[in-house]
Coordinates of all heavy atoms in Angstrom, one line a residue:
Chain A
F251 N 73.2 -56.8 36.0 CA 73.8 -55.5 35.5 C 72.7 -54.8 34.7 O 72.1 -55.3 33.8 CB 75.0 -55.8 34.6 CG 75.6 -54.6 34.0 CD1 76.2 -53.6 34.9 CD2 75.5 -54.3 32.7 CE1 76.7 -52.4 34.3 CE2 76.1 -53.2 32.1 CZ 76.7 -52.2 33.0
M252 N 72.5 -53.5 35.0 CA 71.5 -52.7 34.4 C 70.1 -53.3 34.5 O 69.2 -53.1 33.7 CB 71.8 -52.4 32.9 CG 72.9 -51.4 32.7 SD 72.3 -49.7 33.2 CE 71.3 -49.3 31.7
G253 N 69.9 -54.1 35.5 CA 68.6 -54.8 35.6 C 67.6 -54.0 36.3 O 67.9 -53.0 37.0
L254 N 66.4 -54.4 36.3 CA 65.2 -53.8 36.9 C 65.2 -52.3 37.0 O 65.0 -51.7 35.9 CB 65.0 -54.4 38.3 CG 64.7 -55.9 38.3 CD1 64.6 -56.5 39.7 CD2 63.4 -56.2 37.6
G255 N 65.3 -51.7 38.2 CA 65.1 -50.3 38.4 C 65.8 -49.4 37.3 O 65.3 -48.4 36.9
D256 N 67.0 -49.8 36.9 CA 67.8 -49.0 36.1 C 67.1 -48.6 34.8 O 67.1 -47.5 34.3 CB 69.2 -49.6 35.8 CG 70.1 -49.4 37.0 OD1 69.6 -48.7 37.9 OD2 71.2 -49.8 36.9
Y257 N 66.6 -49.7 34.1 CA 65.9 -49.4 32.8 C 64.8 -48.4 33.0 O 64.6 -47.5 32.2 CB 65.3 -50.7 32.3 CG 66.2 -51.8 31.8 CD1 65.8 -53.1 32.0 CD2 67.3 -51.5 31.0 CE1 66.6 -54.1 31.5 CE2 68.1 -52.5 30.5 CZ 67.8 -53.8 30.8 OH 68.5 -54.8 30.3
E258 N 64.0 -48.7 34.1 CA 62.8 -48.0 34.3 C 63.1 -46.5 34.5 O 62.4 -45.6 33.9 CB 62.0 -48.5 35.5 CG 61.4 -49.9 35.2 CD 61.2 -50.7 36.5 OE1 61.0 -50.2 37.5 OE2 61.2 -51.9 36.3
D259 N 64.1 -46.2 35.3 CA 64.5 -44.8 35.5 C 65.0 -44.2 34.2 O 64.6 -43.1 33.9 CB 65.6 -44.7 36.6 CG 65.0 -45.0 38.0 OD1 63.8 -44.9 38.1 OD2 65.7 -45.2 38.9
S260 N 65.9 -44.9 33.5 CA 66.5 -44.2 32.4 C 65.4 -44.0 31.3 O 65.4 -43.0 30.6 CB 67.6 -45.1 31.8 OG 67.1 -46.3 31.4
Y261 N 64.4 -44.9 31.1 CA 63.4 -44.8 30.1 C 62.5 -43.5 30.4 O 62.3 -42.7 29.6 CB 62.5 -46.0 30.0 CG 61.5 -46.0 29.0 CD1 61.8 -45.7 27.7 CD2 60.1 -46.2 29.3 CE1 60.8 -45.7 26.7 CE2 59.1 -46.1 28.3 CZ 59.5 -45.9 27.0 OH 58.5 -45.8 26.1
E262 N 62.2 -43.4 31.7 CA 61.4 -42.3 32.1 C 62.2 -41.0 32.0 O 61.6 -40.0 31.5 CB 61.0 -42.4 33.6 CG 59.8 -41.6 34.0 CD 59.4 -41.7 35.5 OE1 60.0 -42.6 36.1 OE2 58.6 -40.9 35.9
Q263 N 63.4 -41.0 32.3 CA 64.3 -39.8 32.2 C 64.4 -39.4 30.7 O 64.3 -38.2 30.4 CB 65.7 -40.1 32.7 CG 65.8 -40.1 34.2 CD 65.3 -38.8 34.8 OE1 65.5 -37.7 34.3 NE2 64.5 -38.8 35.9
D264 N 64.5 -40.4 29.9 CA 64.6 -40.2 28.4 C 63.4 -39.5 27.9 O 63.5 -38.5 27.2 CB 64.8 -41.5 27.7 CG 65.1 -41.4 26.3 OD1 65.7 -40.4 25.9 OD2 64.6 -42.2 25.5
L265 N 62.2 -39.9 28.4 CA 61.0 -39.3 27.9 C 60.9 -37.9 28.4 O 60.5 -37.0 27.7 CB 59.8 -40.1 28.5 CG 59.5 -41.5 28.0 CD1 58.2 -42.0 28.6 CD2 59.4 -41.5 26.5
K266 N 61.3 -37.6 29.7 CA 61.2 -36.3 30.2 C 62.1 -35.3 29.5 O 61.8 -34.2 29.2 CB 61.6 -36.3 31.7 CG 60.5 -36.8 32.6 CD 60.9 -36.7 34.0 CE 59.7 -37.2 34.9 NZ 60.1 -37.4 36.3
K267 N 63.3 -35.8 29.1 CA 64.3 -35.0 28.3 C 63.7 -34.6 27.0 O 63.8 -33.5 26.5 CB 65.6 -35.7 28.1 CG 66.6 -35.6 29.3 CD 67.8 -36.3 29.0 CE 68.6 -36.6 30.3 NZ 69.6 -37.6 30.1
R268 N 63.0 -35.6 26.3 CA 62.4 -35.3 25.0 C 61.3 -34.3 25.1 O 61.1 -33.5 24.3 CB 62.0 -36.6 24.4 CG 63.1 -37.3 23.6 CD 62.9 -38.8 23.5 NE 61.8 -39.2 22.6 CZ 61.3 -40.4 22.6 NH1 61.8 -41.3 23.3 NH2 60.3 -40.6 21.8
I269 N 60.5 -34.5 26.2 CA 59.4 -33.5 26.4 C 59.9 -32.1 26.6 O 59.5 -31.2 26.0 CB 58.6 -33.9 27.7 CG1 57.7 -35.2 27.4 CG2 57.7 -32.8 28.2 CD1 56.9 -35.7 28.5
A270 N 61.0 -32.0 27.4 CA 61.6 -30.7 27.7 C 62.1 -30.0 26.4 O 61.9 -28.8 26.1 CB 62.7 -30.8 28.7
R271 N 62.7 -30.9 25.5 CA 63.3 -30.4 24.3 C 62.2 -29.9 23.3 O 62.2 -28.8 22.8 CB 64.1 -31.5 23.6 CG 65.2 -30.9 22.7 CD 65.8 -32.0 21.9 NE 64.8 -32.7 21.0 CZ 64.7 -34.0 20.9 NH1 65.4 -34.8 21.7 NH2 63.8 -34.5 20.1
I272 N 61.1 -30.7 23.2 CA 60.0 -30.3 22.3 C 59.3 -29.0 22.9 O 58.9 -28.1 22.1 CB 59.0 -31.5 22.2 CG1 59.7 -32.6 21.4 CG2 57.7 -31.0 21.4 CD1 58.8 -33.9 21.4
E273 N 59.1 -29.0 24.2 CA 58.4 -27.8 24.8 C 59.2 -26.6 24.5 O 58.6 -25.5 24.2 CB 58.3 -28.0 26.3 CG 57.1 -28.8 26.7 CD 57.0 -29.1 28.2 OE1 57.9 -28.9 28.9 OE2 55.9 -29.5 28.6
S274 N 60.5 -26.6 24.6 CA 61.3 -25.4 24.4 C 61.2 -25.0 22.9 O 61.1 -23.8 22.6 CB 62.7 -25.5 24.8 OG 63.4 -26.3 23.9
E275 N 61.1 -26.0 22.0 CA 61.0 -25.6 20.6 C 59.6 -25.0 20.3 O 59.5 -24.1 19.6 CB 61.2 -26.9 19.8 CG 61.7 -26.6 18.4 CD 62.2 -27.8 17.7 OE1 62.9 -28.6 18.3 OE2 62.0 -28.0 16.5
L276 N 58.6 -25.6 21.0 CA 57.2 -25.1 20.7 C 57.1 -23.7 21.4 O 56.3 -22.9 20.8 CB 56.2 -26.0 21.3 CG 55.9 -27.3 20.5 CD1 55.0 -28.2 21.2 CD2 55.3 -27.0 19.1
E277 N 57.8 -23.5 22.5 CA 57.7 -22.2 23.1 C 58.2 -21.1 22.2 O 57.7 -20.0 22.1 CB 58.6 -22.2 24.4 CG 58.0 -21.3 25.5 CD 58.8 -21.6 26.8 OE1 58.6 -22.6 27.4 OE2 59.6 -20.7 27.1
S278 N 59.3 -21.4 21.5 CA 59.9 -20.4 20.6 C 58.9 -20.1 19.4 O 58.7 -19.0 19.0 CB 61.2 -20.7 20.1 OG 61.1 -21.8 19.2
A279 N 58.2 -21.2 19.0 CA 57.2 -21.0 17.9 C 56.0 -20.2 18.5 O 55.5 -19.3 17.7 CB 56.6 -22.4 17.5
E280 N 55.7 -20.3 19.8 CA 54.6 -19.6 20.4 C 55.0 -18.1 20.4 O 54.1 -17.2 20.2 CB 54.4 -20.0 21.8 CG 53.0 -20.6 22.0 CD 52.9 -21.2 23.4 OE1 52.8 -20.5 24.3 OE2 53.0 -22.5 23.5
K281 N 56.3 -17.8 20.7 CA 56.7 -16.4 20.7 C 56.6 -15.8 19.3 O 56.2 -14.6 19.2 CB 58.2 -16.3 21.2 CG 58.2 -16.3 22.7 CD 59.7 -16.2 23.2 CE 59.7 -16.5 24.6 NZ 61.0 -17.0 25.0
D282 N 56.9 -16.6 18.3 CA 56.8 -16.1 16.9 C 55.3 -15.8 16.6 O 55.0 -14.8 16.0 CB 57.2 -17.2 15.9 CG 58.7 -17.4 16.0 OD1 59.4 -16.6 16.6 OD2 59.2 -18.4 15.4
D283 N 54.4 -16.6 17.1 CA 53.0 -16.4 16.9 C 52.5 -15.2 17.6 O 51.7 -14.4 17.0 CB 52.2 -17.6 17.6 CG 52.0 -18.8 16.6 OD1 52.5 -18.6 15.5 OD2 51.4 -19.8 17.0
E284 N 53.0 -15.0 18.8 CA 52.6 -13.8 19.6 C 53.0 -12.5 18.8 O 52.2 -11.6 18.7 CB 53.4 -13.8 20.9 CG 52.5 -14.3 22.1 CD 53.3 -14.5 23.3 OE1 54.0 -13.5 23.7 OE2 53.2 -15.5 23.9
S285 N 54.3 -12.5 18.3 CA 54.7 -11.3 17.6 C 53.9 -11.1 16.3 O 53.6 -10.0 15.9 CB 56.2 -11.3 17.3 OG 56.6 -12.5 16.9
L286 N 53.5 -12.3 15.7 CA 52.7 -12.2 14.4 C 51.3 -11.6 14.8 O 50.8 -10.8 14.0 CB 52.6 -13.6 13.8 CG 51.9 -13.7 12.5 CD1 52.7 -12.9 11.4 CD2 51.7 -15.1 12.1
R287 N 50.8 -12.1 15.9 CA 49.5 -11.5 16.3 C 49.5 -10.0 16.6 O 48.7 -9.3 16.1 CB 49.0 -12.3 17.6 CG 48.0 -13.4 17.3 CD 47.3 -13.8 18.5 NE 48.3 -14.5 19.4 CZ 48.6 -15.8 19.4 NH1 48.0 -16.5 18.5 NH2 49.5 -16.3 20.2
A288 N 50.6 -9.6 17.3 CA 50.8 -8.2 17.6 C 50.9 -7.4 16.3 O 50.3 -6.3 16.2 CB 52.0 -8.0 18.5
L289 N 51.7 -8.0 15.3 CA 51.9 -7.3 14.1 C 50.5 -7.1 13.3 O 50.2 -6.1 12.8 CB 52.9 -8.0 13.2 CG 53.2 -7.4 11.8 CD1 54.1 -6.2 12.0 CD2 53.8 -8.4 10.9
R290 N 49.8 -8.2 13.3 CA 48.5 -8.2 12.6 C 47.5 -7.2 13.3 O 46.8 -6.5 12.6 CB 47.9 -9.6 12.6 CG 48.5 -10.5 11.6 CD 48.1 -11.9 11.9 NE 48.5 -12.8 10.7 CZ 48.4 -14.1 10.7 NH1 47.8 -14.7 11.7 NH2 48.8 -14.8 9.7
H291 N 47.6 -7.1 14.6 CA 46.7 -6.1 15.3 C 47.2 -4.7 14.9 O 46.3 -3.8 14.7 CB 46.8 -6.3 16.8 CG 45.8 -7.2 17.3 ND1 46.0 -8.2 18.3 CD2 44.4 -7.3 17.0 CE1 44.9 -8.8 18.5 NE2 44.0 -8.4 17.8
K292 N 48.5 -4.5 14.9 CA 49.1 -3.2 14.5 C 48.7 -2.8 13.1 O 48.4 -1.6 12.8 CB 50.6 -3.3 14.7 CG 51.2 -2.0 15.1 CD 52.7 -2.2 15.3 CE 53.5 -0.9 15.0 NZ 54.9 -1.2 15.0
K293 N 48.6 -3.8 12.3 CA 48.2 -3.5 10.9 C 46.7 -3.3 10.7 O 46.2 -3.1 9.6 CB 48.7 -4.7 10.0 CG 50.2 -4.8 9.8 CD 50.7 -4.1 8.6 CE 52.2 -4.2 8.5 NZ 52.7 -3.1 7.7
G294 N 46.0 -3.4 11.8 CA 44.6 -3.2 11.8 C 43.7 -4.4 11.4 O 42.5 -4.2 11.2
F295 N 44.3 -5.5 11.5 CA 43.5 -6.7 11.2 C 42.8 -7.2 12.5 O 43.4 -7.2 13.6 CB 44.4 -7.9 10.8 CG 44.9 -7.8 9.4 CD1 46.2 -7.4 9.1 CD2 44.0 -8.0 8.3 CE1 46.6 -7.3 7.8 CE2 44.5 -7.9 7.0 CZ 45.8 -7.5 6.8
S296 N 41.5 -7.5 12.4 CA 40.9 -8.2 13.6 C 41.0 -9.7 13.4 O 40.9 -10.2 12.3 CB 39.4 -7.8 13.6 OG 39.2 -6.4 13.6
L297 N 41.3 -10.3 14.5 CA 41.5 -11.8 14.4 C 40.3 -12.5 14.8 O 39.8 -12.4 15.9 CB 42.7 -12.2 15.3 CG 44.0 -11.4 15.1 CD1 45.1 -11.9 16.1 CD2 44.5 -11.6 13.7
I298 N 39.8 -13.3 13.9 CA 38.5 -14.1 14.1 C 38.9 -15.6 13.9 O 39.6 -15.9 13.0 CB 37.4 -13.7 13.1 CG1 37.2 -12.2 13.1 CG2 36.2 -14.4 13.3 CD1 36.4 -11.7 11.9
S299 N 38.3 -16.4 14.8 CA 38.6 -17.8 14.6 C 37.4 -18.7 14.6 O 36.3 -18.3 15.2 CB 39.6 -18.3 15.7 OG 39.0 -18.1 16.9
L300 N 37.5 -19.8 14.0 CA 36.3 -20.7 13.9 C 36.6 -21.8 14.9 O 37.7 -22.4 15.0 CB 36.3 -21.4 12.5 CG 35.7 -20.6 11.4 CD1 36.1 -21.2 10.1 CD2 34.2 -20.4 11.5
A301 N 35.6 -22.0 15.8 CA 35.8 -23.1 16.8 C 34.5 -23.9 16.8 O 33.5 -23.5 16.2 CB 35.9 -22.5 18.2
G302 N 34.6 -25.1 17.4 CA 33.4 -25.9 17.4 C 33.8 -27.4 17.5 O 35.0 -27.8 17.4
Y303 N 32.8 -28.2 17.7 CA 33.0 -29.6 17.8 C 33.5 -30.2 16.5 O 33.2 -29.6 15.4 CB 31.6 -30.3 18.1 CG 31.8 -31.6 18.9 CD1 32.0 -31.6 20.3 CD2 31.7 -32.8 18.3 CE1 32.2 -32.7 21.0 CE2 31.8 -34.0 19.0 CZ 32.1 -33.9 20.4 OH 32.2 -35.1 21.1
T304 N 34.3 -31.2 16.5 CA 34.8 -31.8 15.3 C 33.6 -32.2 14.4 O 32.6 -32.7 14.8 CB 35.8 -33.0 15.6 OG1 36.3 -33.5 14.4 CG2 35.1 -34.1 16.4
N305 N 33.8 -32.0 13.1 CA 32.8 -32.4 12.0 C 31.6 -31.5 12.1 O 30.5 -31.9 11.6 CB 32.5 -33.8 12.1 CG 32.1 -34.4 10.7 OD1 32.5 -33.8 9.7 ND2 31.3 -35.5 10.7
A306 N 31.7 -30.3 12.6 CA 30.5 -29.4 12.7 C 30.4 -28.6 11.4 O 29.3 -28.0 11.1 CB 30.7 -28.4 13.8
G307 N 31.4 -28.6 10.5 CA 31.4 -27.9 9.3 C 32.2 -26.6 9.3 O 31.9 -25.7 8.6

Side-chain angles (χ1 to χ4, degrees):
Chain A
F251 176 67
M252 281 293 282
L254 291 177
D256 281 359
Y257 288 143
E258 287 156 29
D259 284 346
S260 65
Y261 182 55
E262 200 183 350
Q263 282 306 319
D264 185 35
L265 291 185
K266 280 185 181 165
K267 273 182 200 161
R268 275 156 66 194
I269 287 178
R271 207 188 59 229
I272 293 173
E273 272 177 347
S274 73
E275 204 164 322
L276 283 174
E277 211 173 287
S278 68
E280 242 173 76
K281 274 182 196 153
D282 291 348
D283 273 1
E284 263 172 46
S285 46
L286 187 63
R287 259 192 295 273
L289 180 75
R290 282 167 170 175
H291 269 138
K292 209 175 152 191
K293 291 266 178 202
F295 286 104
S296 300
L297 307 179
I298 306 167
S299 60
L300 284 165
Y303 209 79
T304 180
N305 211 21

